[in-house]
Amino acid sequence: MEISASDRDLIAVMRRYFAAQTERECLKAQLEAARQAAGEAIGVFYDPRQNAEHAADLQRSHRLREEMASLVQRAKAWGRAASGADEHDRSAAEAEPEE
């Protein structure tokens, strides 16, 4: 079975999505452990303006979430394009006269 360039692109997008997801989950666990150890309120701890010590990690978590959303949108666009191509192929096959 041959994989098209489009399929390879989708695989790359999904690999990056899952890598970002794993990184974000680890980061969130570390941040939550630090919050609990410090005894900080959620609203204060997770506000990078009020928590300079963890601001870089909080911003990294936000960037990862945004990246994941962007990657999902790319995958959805790929899926819509593939569905449209499949529908076009079916329509064309149904329009061909039988011999």
Side-chain angles (χ1 to χ4, degrees), residues 10-28 60-61 63-65 67-69 71-72:
L10 177 63
I11 291 167
V13 165
M14 295 313 299
R15 280 185 179 154
R16 179 59 200 144
Y17 174 87
F18 291 119
Q21 182 182 44
T22 299
E23 183 179 350
R24 185 163 186 259
E25 287 172 357
C26 290
L27 189 55
K28 284 174 53 178
R60 176 76 180 140
S61 178
R63 282 192 302 274
L64 287 166
R65 185 183 68 223
E67 180 183 6
M68 289 168 59
L71 292 165
V72 165

Side-chain angles (χ1 to χ4, degrees), residues 29-41 45-46 53-54:
Q30 291 170 358
L31 287 167
E32 184 57 19
R35 183 194 72 80
Q36 290 178 3
E40 291 283 340
F45 185 88
Y46 286 103
E53 181 180 350
H54 296 284

Side-chain angles (χ1 to χ4, degrees), residues 1-4 7:
M1 175 180 193
E2 189 173 319
I3 297 176
S4 71
D7 289 345

Side-chain angles (χ1 to χ4, degrees), residues 1 7 20 27 29 32 43 58 64 70 74 76-77 79 84 86 89 93:
M1 175 180 193
D7 289 345
L27 189 55
E32 184 57 19
L58 293 167
L64 287 166
S70 174
R74 287 177 60 189
K76 285 180 179 180
D86 289 347
D89 291 347

